Amino acid sequence: MTISAFRRDYYPVQSTLLGALLRKGISVENLARDPAIDLRDLCNVWLSREVQGAALPFSRIGCIEMVSLHNQDQSTDLEQSILSSIHAYFLMLDLATCAGMCVESLGLPVLGGGNQHVATELISIPVLNECLSFLMRNEWVRDIHIITRNQGQAYQFARALDTSYSFAQSSTRADASVPGANAAQTADKLAFISYSSGDKNIADNLCVKLESRGIKAWYAPRDVRSGDYASSIVDAIERCTHFVVIIGEHSLKSQHVLNEIDLAFHRLGKGVTFCPLRLDKEKLGPAFTYYLSRQHWMDACVPPLEQRLEEFANKLSEN
């Protein structure tokens, strides 16, 4: 069972999961004093020893500790903190498996949707990405349960999961199609999103906006087949109708983004439309200038970024 708490703060407020556990005789504060795995100093996560004497459907409690609300000046910082903590949490569960503490079933609450007020549509896809990746690489885990009492949050997660499943089904059909068939034969629009890991939050957000408009989006790591990054990326670029590249200080240093641009560049005139999204005024290097100088990009330098992403998604849906 996964819980969340503020850093080193395990006070069992009545309306919280910590409070509910205490009413069942489980003190999270006591468990935190001697955890089986303690990574709080590095990445704010820890895993308890086995919970004894509790008639509950779990044997251990894993905790993701959040930064204090008073230390957060911007919602984007909080969102990044939550996503980084979730990523660290799954890596900790990998470590637990290596140490013989195998996870067979995992309960994961929707983090950030309470007092932190992080929008569910921003958190759903990255959380599902982490869950799917964990399921693929860990042979012990059978199921992961996303837990929320909020019906709207449940709907957002269900829609994101359904979209991912539908895309996987369409990808399978595309793989079985005639080699070289036009991408339009399998979908009206397929947007490949090229981005640097430093802009992952933006890519996640953009993916939600595109798919909410009925545009299928492909991006790693969500849509990579069985860990085969290279062939999956090449295949997706071959099939995409729109090549979306997020350009900013992170991507301008990324050889992977440049490689993807090169692959898409050779498909110009063969059914692909370039759709660069410029995040800042960083100067393009020689290679990026060569590929992008004649492409029409949308400028997202002027805040608010959320509105720029909405405009970009609207424009792509119209073209």
Side-chain angles (χ1 to χ4, degrees), residues 35-50:
I37 299 178
D38 189 355
L39 300 178
R40 281 174 288 187
D41 290 339
L42 292 174
C43 43
N44 304 314
V45 297
W46 56 273
L47 182 67
S48 78
R49 299 186 185 278
E50 288 196 40

Side-chain angles (χ1 to χ4, degrees), residues 90 93-106 130-144:
F90 280 103
L93 296 183
D94 288 333
L95 180 61
T97 300
C98 294
M101 296 175 280
C102 300
V103 177
E104 296 182 359
S105 184
L106 176 66
E130 293 289 351
C131 291
L132 292 172
S133 179
F134 183 63
L135 285 166
M136 290 172 63
R137 68 178 183 259
N138 192 312
E139 63 181 11
W140 292 97
V141 64
R142 298 192 311 268
D143 45 53
I144 297 176

Side-chain angles (χ1 to χ4, degrees), residues 16-148:
T16 65
L17 185 54
L18 275 71
L21 288 169
L22 187 62
R23 291 194 292 275
K24 293 291 185 179
I26 300 172
S27 170
V28 173
E29 185 174 7
N30 289 341
L31 293 174
R33 290 172 181 160
D34 184 30
I37 299 178
D38 189 355
L39 300 178
R40 281 174 288 187
D41 290 339
L42 292 174
C43 43
N44 304 314
V45 297
W46 56 273
L47 182 67
S48 78
R49 299 186 185 278
E50 288 196 40
V51 179
Q52 302 295 332
L56 293 170
F58 56 84
S59 59
R60 297 178 189 270
I61 289 177
C63 184
I64 300 175
E65 297 194 359
M66 321 279 280
V67 295
S68 171
L69 288 176
H70 301 295
N71 294 333
Q72 289 297 331
D73 297 324
Q74 297 180 0
S75 61
T76 53
D77 293 336
L78 179 58
E79 178 195 334
Q80 180 59 54
S81 174
I82 292 172
L83 295 179
S84 297
S85 296
I86 291 172
H87 180 64
Y89 183 71
F90 280 103
L91 294 180
M92 180 186 69
L93 296 183
D94 288 333
L95 180 61
T97 300
C98 294
M101 296 175 280
C102 300
V103 177
E104 296 182 359
S105 184
L106 176 66
L108 186 69
V110 177
L111 303 179
N115 292 333
Q116 295 85 7
H117 302 296
V118 175
T120 305
E121 59 268 22
L122 299 183
I123 209 82
S124 58
I125 285 184
V127 168
L128 288 174
N129 282 345
E130 293 289 351
C131 291
L132 292 172
S133 179
F134 183 63
L135 285 166
M136 290 172 63
R137 68 178 183 259
N138 192 312
E139 63 181 11
W140 292 97
V141 64
R142 298 192 311 268
D143 45 53
I144 297 176
H145 304 269
I146 305 294
I147 302 169
T148 178

Side-chain angles (χ1 to χ4, degrees), residues 233-250:
I233 287 172
V234 171
D235 174 71
I237 292 176
E238 284 292 321
R239 293 188 291 108
C240 75
T241 59
H242 294 72
F243 179 80
V244 175
V245 55
I246 298 174
I247 299 295
E249 61 173 320
H250 300 297

Side-chain angles (χ1 to χ4, degrees), residues 2 81 152 173 187 200 211 229-232 311 313:
T2 306
S81 174
R173 290 193 295 270
K200 189 174 187 303
E211 293 185 337
Y229 269 75
S231 62
S232 293
E311 292 168 356

Side-chain angles (χ1 to χ4, degrees), residues 8-9 15 17 27 62-63 70 73 83-84 94 121 155 162 172 184 187 196 201 217 225 281 312 316:
R8 309 301 195 276
D9 182 0
S15 61
L17 185 54
S27 170
C63 184
H70 301 295
D73 297 324
L83 295 179
S84 297
D94 288 333
E121 59 268 22
Y155 173 76
D162 184 61
T172 301
S196 165
N201 286 357
R225 300 189 305 270
K281 297 294 186 179
F312 182 85
L316 197 151

